[in-house]
């Protein structure tokens, strides 16, 4: 049997390239994430206790909402730095990395996994419970509405009654106010006017019809002439339109303020996340420097 010799060197056909050692340790990253979440949780509970000790409604020394919110935000930022710094340090230390770049990658991955885990817990736990409750209520309401809307035409067809007649009869049962405004009680007149207000606000032909109906009711209830009732309705209409415009302006102002606050909160949140990433990376590189010594 022939044997190939290559002067002490392995044959090329039998050579195997060495496996590149893995430069990232997911076990160490998982340990860092667990440590970061645990530290954040403990410090968060501690902060809650400290905040509750500052609430004193009897003496009236409770801090205001603005100051309390700023303090809570600063405390959350500090706890985030401590938690992610500890997590990044632990991950790099356990992984036994020898290069700062590898340590930085471990720290940033700890930061990213912690962020994703936190968002997942918030959206799946709290949001899932609330969303599930609303979805259940919506499903039940939709089922009831669809059942009633489907049952009415079937019942009408079985009784040989037109569907429009069913709707008109239902309206007659729900509205017990007489058509003549003079025969209405004050409560019935108020309900009738309230029912006409949406059409009055929309304007157009429906608005003019609603205004004429309101004028008739006011004239009959107050026992005044129709021109006098028209003058009163016109003044009330102006006040109604003015109030509506003021409400819309207030809503727009509140929406603009809320949008500005949301934008400011988003910028602060991004800054806090970047600070957390820097803390995780600094903790990891600090662990590498200590190991090199």
């Amino acid at each position: 049997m022939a044997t190939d010799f290559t002067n002490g060197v392995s044959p090329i056909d039998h050579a195997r390239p060495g496996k590149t050692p893995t430069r990232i340790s997911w076990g160490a990253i998982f340990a860092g994430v667990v440590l970061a979440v645990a530290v954040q949780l403990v410090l968060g509970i501690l902060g809650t206790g400290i905040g509750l000790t500052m609430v004193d409604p009897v003496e009236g020394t409770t801090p205001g909402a603005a100051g309390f919110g700023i303090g809570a935000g600063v405390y959350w930022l500090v706890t985030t730095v401590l938690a992610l710094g500890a997590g990044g340090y632990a991950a790099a230390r356990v992984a036994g990395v020898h290069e700062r770049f590898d340590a930085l990658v471990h720290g940033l991955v700890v930061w990213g996994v912690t962020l994703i885990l936190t968002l997942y817990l918030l959206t799946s736990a709290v949001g899932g419970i609330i969303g599930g409750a609303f979805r259940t209520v919506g499903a039940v309401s939709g089922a009831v509405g669809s059942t009633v809307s489907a049952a009415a035409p079937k019942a009408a067809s079985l009784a040989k009654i037109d569907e429009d007649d069913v709707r008109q009869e239902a309206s007659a049962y729900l509205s017990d106010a007489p058509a003549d405004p003079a025969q209405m009680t004050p409560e019935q007149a108020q309900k009738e006017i309230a029912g006409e207000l949406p059409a009055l606000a929309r304007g157009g032909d429906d608005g003019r019809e609603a205004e004429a109906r309101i004028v008739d009711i006011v004239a009959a209830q107050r026992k005044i002439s129709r021109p006098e009732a028209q003058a009163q309705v016109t003044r009330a209409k102006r006040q109604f339109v003015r109030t509506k415009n003021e409400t819309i302006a207030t809503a727009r102002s509140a929406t603009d303020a809320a949008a500005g606050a949301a934008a400011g909160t988003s910028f602060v949140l991004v800054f806090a996340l970047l600070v957390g990433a820097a803390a995780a990376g600094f903790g990891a590189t600090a662990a590498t420097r200590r190991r090199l010594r």
Side-chain angles (χ1 to χ4, degrees):
M1 181 176 65
T3 304
D4 295 333
F5 292 97
T6 57
N7 298 326
V9 181
S10 299
I12 297 177
D13 295 339
H14 300 288
R16 294 288 187 273
K19 182 181 179 182
T20 303
T22 303
R23 299 178 61 180
I24 187 168
S25 173
W26 285 103
I29 290 173
F30 178 74
V33 170
V34 171
L35 180 62
V37 173
V39 172
Q40 183 79 51
L41 181 61
V42 171
L43 293 179
I45 295 175
L46 177 63
T48 302
I50 295 173
L52 291 177
T53 59
M54 300 174 63
V55 177
D56 191 357
V58 177
E59 297 294 335
T61 58
T62 303
F68 199 83
I70 294 174
V74 172
Y75 183 83
W76 176 76
L77 181 61
V78 172
T79 57
T80 300
V81 170
L82 294 177
L84 290 175
Y89 181 89
R93 187 74 172 173
V94 172
V97 294
H98 296 277
E99 297 184 10
R100 291 184 179 180
F101 179 78
D102 294 348
L104 181 62
V105 170
H106 278 76
L108 292 179
V109 173
V110 167
W111 166 75
V113 174
T114 304
L115 177 61
I116 294 173
L117 179 62
T118 303
L119 292 177
Y120 172 76
L121 291 177
L122 290 176
T123 55
S124 63
V126 181
I129 293 173
I130 298 176
F134 279 106
R135 283 194 296 270
T136 302
V137 174
V140 172
S141 302
V144 172
S146 61
T147 302
V148 173
S149 61
K154 291 181 181 179
S157 62
L158 290 175
K160 306 299 183 182
I161 301 175
D162 186 55
E163 191 173 337
D164 295 333
D165 295 336
V166 174
R167 293 195 181 94
Q168 293 176 1
E169 188 66 21
S171 300
Y173 283 126
L174 293 176
S175 178
D176 56 352
D180 187 2
Q183 298 178 0
M184 293 181 181
T185 63
E187 292 78 10
Q188 291 173 340
Q190 291 177 2
K191 290 182 179 180
E192 188 74 13
I193 293 175
E196 297 292 342
L197 287 179
L200 180 66
R202 288 193 301 268
D205 295 337
D206 294 338
R208 285 188 289 272
E209 292 179 2
E211 184 176 355
R213 178 64 173 169
I214 293 174
V215 169
D216 292 338
I217 295 173
V218 171
Q221 289 293 313
R222 295 190 175 181
K223 295 180 175 56
I224 58 178
S225 64
R226 202 174 189 285
E228 293 176 341
Q230 180 66 56
Q232 292 183 7
V233 171
T234 301
R235 288 195 298 270
K237 181 181 177 181
R238 291 199 197 99
Q239 181 63 34
F240 177 73
V241 173
R242 186 183 303 111
T243 303
K244 184 184 71 171
N245 293 335
E246 291 176 354
T247 302
I248 293 175
T250 303
R252 288 178 177 174
S253 177
T255 303
D256 183 67
T265 303
S266 299
F267 292 141
V268 172
L269 183 59
V270 169
F271 173 75
L273 293 176
L274 293 178
V275 170
F282 176 78
T285 53
T288 306
R289 286 198 294 270
R290 286 194 58 182
R291 183 172 180 83
L292 288 177
R293 291 197 189 99

